[in-house]
Amino acid sequence: MTMGMGNPCLRVDSDSAARLTLATPEGPAALAAWHDDDELRVEPTGPGAEWLQPFLTDLFGLRFKPPVFENPRRMRVVGERFAGLRLPKLPTIFPRLLQVVLQQMITFRDATHGWRKLVERLGARVPGHDDLWYPPEPKAIARMASFEFIECGILPQHGRRLVGLARTAERIEAVWGHGLEADSLPKTCEYLMSLPGVGPWTVGYLSGSGLGDADALVLGDYGHPHQVAYFFTGEERSDDETMASLLEPYRPHRYYALTLIIKSGVRPPRRGPRRRSLRERFRH
C-alpha cells in the first residue's frame, strides 16, 4: 500500500517509524507508528482516531503469523530476511482500491505520479504535518471532470473508472463491513468483480495488499509470472498457469510467498523494448 516514496498519505521517517492516513466513517485519521524495542506503538489523531482504535491490530497485520518456508533454500532465506513482513487488513478500502485501479496497465511510476497529484488536488494536509495528506473523499472524486484527471496525469479511462467507483463507494464499504464478518472477503471480491473496470488482477492485488488475504492469487500481471518462474526454475518467461502451479505448494500463503519473491529482487533479465511512460506516449 506504499504507492512509492512520494505517496502523500504515507511517510516513512526511518527504518522504525512511519506516518500514514486513512479514511473512516467519522472522518480521516492520521497514525504515527514506531517501534519501541520489541513493541509497536501507534498514536492516532484526527476526527476518525477514536473510531480506528479497535482496528489497529488488523491494520498492522499483527494477528498474522508469518509461515516458515523451508524449501527451496532461497525462499527460506528471503523469508528470514523479511521476517517482519505483515499484510494489512484495512477497515475501509476505497482509497486502496483507487490506488490499485490507477496501476492497471501502466507503469508503477506513472500510477504513483497520478495518485500524488490526485491527493494534492482533492485531499487536505494533516494539521501539524506539512508533508502528510488525508486521502480524497469519494464524493470529491465523483465530481471530477475528464480534463481534471488529465491534469493529474491520469488516463481518461482510469478517470472514468475512478468516478464510477466513487459513486459506488458507500456500497463497497458496506459490503466489506470493515472486514468484521467471516464472509467479508469472498462477498467483497464477488461484488467488486461485478463492477465495470474491475477484474481478477485488481481484486487479487487488492485482496492481498489491503484485505489481509495471504492466499490471494494475482492473475493477469505483466511481470509476476516471469519473476516467479525465474526465482524457482531459472526460466525467463512464463504465464499465469505456470505461476499458479509454482505457488500452489505455498497455499494458503500464495500472496505472501509472491510478495517475498518480489522483495527478493531476483528477477529475469530485461529483454525487448522498454515500456514507454505516459509522458513519452503523450509526446507522439
Side-chain angles (χ1 to χ4, degrees):
M1 58 186 285
T2 62
M3 287 302 283
M5 296 301 293
N7 182 0
C9 300
L10 173 66
R11 295 304 189 196
V12 179
D13 298 315
S14 69
D15 290 342
S16 59
R19 291 165 292 140
L20 67 153
T21 59
L22 295 146
T24 84
E26 301 298 323
L31 298 175
W34 66 95
H35 280 286
D36 187 358
D37 293 327
D38 292 333
E39 294 185 350
L40 176 66
R41 298 191 177 275
V42 182
E43 182 181 312
T45 58
E50 185 175 352
W51 181 91
L52 196 58
Q53 288 277 3
F55 299 99
L56 293 178
T57 299
D58 285 331
L59 172 62
F60 287 95
L62 299 182
R63 298 187 203 277
F64 177 68
K65 184 178 180 181
V68 177
F69 299 135
E70 295 293 346
N71 294 303
R73 180 180 179 277
R74 175 180 285 178
M75 181 62 94
R76 176 169 57 81
V77 171
V78 174
E80 292 172 351
R81 179 182 172 193
F82 295 100
L85 176 67
R86 298 293 186 273
L87 301 180
K89 183 178 179 181
L90 302 172
T92 56
I93 62 175
F94 181 72
R96 181 56 184 159
L97 176 60
L98 295 188
Q99 293 174 353
V100 174
V101 169
L102 282 172
Q103 296 178 60
Q104 294 174 345
M105 303 301 293
I106 65 172
T107 66
F108 182 71
R109 179 179 179 181
D110 285 333
T112 57
H113 172 80
W115 171 249
R116 183 174 70 252
K117 292 299 182 181
L118 187 66
V119 171
E120 292 174 350
R121 189 184 192 103
L122 299 179
R125 291 184 186 272
V126 178
H129 300 266
D130 290 341
D131 60 340
L132 190 66
W133 292 68
Y134 289 130
E137 295 184 3
K139 58 186 177 183
I141 294 174
R143 293 193 297 263
M144 286 187 72
S146 297
F147 76 89
E148 293 178 290
F149 286 109
I150 294 173
E151 289 175 351
C152 291
I154 296 172
L155 291 172
Q157 59 264 39
H158 286 149
R160 289 190 292 271
R161 290 172 190 172
L162 297 190
V163 168
L165 292 171
R167 292 171 177 170
T168 321
E170 286 190 15
R171 177 60 179 160
I172 292 172
E173 298 292 6
V175 173
W176 174 235
H178 316 308
L180 295 175
E181 303 297 330
D183 61 348
S184 291
L185 179 62
K187 279 172 48 180
T188 302
C189 292
E190 181 180 4
Y191 178 69
L192 290 174
M193 286 287 289
S194 72
L195 300 177
V198 178
W201 181 88
T202 302
V203 171
Y205 191 17
L206 175 68
S207 296
S209 65
L211 308 187
D213 183 7
D215 199 44
L217 192 59
V218 183
L219 299 176
D221 190 86
Y222 174 79
H224 290 169
H226 309 319
Q227 189 168 0
V228 170
Y230 190 73
F231 184 90
F232 286 118
T233 69
E235 294 292 329
E236 295 183 11
R237 315 316 280 170
S238 187
D239 53 28
D240 278 345
E241 184 178 358
T242 302
M243 179 184 72
S245 176
L246 291 170
L247 291 176
E248 182 62 26
Y250 300 94
R251 187 189 290 267
H253 298 104
R254 290 176 295 178
Y255 186 86
Y256 189 81
L258 173 65
T259 304
L260 289 177
I261 292 169
I262 294 170
K263 284 186 169 293
S264 74
V266 177
R267 52 179 55 89
R270 292 187 177 183
R271 58 170 63 183
R274 178 178 60 86
R275 278 189 169 186
R276 292 186 300 163
S277 70
L278 294 182
R279 291 194 183 97
E280 290 172 318
R281 289 184 221 172
F282 284 140
R283 286 199 204 108
H284 300 283

